[in-house]
Amino acid sequence: MLFRSVAGDVEAIPGRETTEQLLARYLPALTSYADALGEGETGVLVSHGAALRVGVPAFLGWGDAPGEGLGVLANCGWVELTHSASVWTGGEARWRMDAWNRVAP
């Protein structure tokens, strides 16, 4: 089978996992890792950029398909999330994104 891809067109990938399937396995794993971190601890989770682009916004509770507004992650690019309270959350500790597509200089 000849497969012609268009950059960023994940819908065209034969046999690909649906967004619902990805979130069904990805969100519980990400939540479990996040819950295991103690106060002030740092965790590292390695994943494919496409999964991060769907999973991170869902984990943060951003609503429907906000990942489309995020750029594609560079090879070895990373995302930084922080769990903390702020005046914006009324003092409640929540996860927030501090960086998207951070790369080493």
Side-chain angles (χ1 to χ4, degrees):
M1 167 195 273
L2 179 61
F3 173 64
R4 183 170 171 245
S5 108
V6 176
D9 185 9
V10 295
E11 300 291 327
I13 300 170
R16 77 169 184 89
E17 185 175 40
T18 67
T19 298
E20 293 76 23
Q21 289 169 327
L22 175 111
L23 290 175
R25 71 177 175 82
Y26 197 88
L27 277 178
L30 182 53
T31 300
S32 174
Y33 293 133
D35 289 347
L37 292 173
E39 185 68 32
E41 289 185 323
T42 299
V44 176
L45 180 106
V46 178
S47 180
H48 289 278
L52 287 166
R53 208 166 154 199
V54 171
V56 168
F59 174 75
L60 295 173
W62 286 4
D64 292 339
E68 292 179 15
L70 297 170
V72 175
L73 284 171
N75 284 339
C76 300
W78 67 88
V79 178
E80 294 176 13
L81 303 177
T82 302
H83 189 255
S84 64
S86 75
V87 296
W88 302 105
T89 62
E92 180 184 344
R94 292 188 185 168
W95 287 96
R96 69 169 190 253
M97 183 186 305
D98 290 331
W100 178 263
N101 205 24
R102 183 80 45 99
V103 293

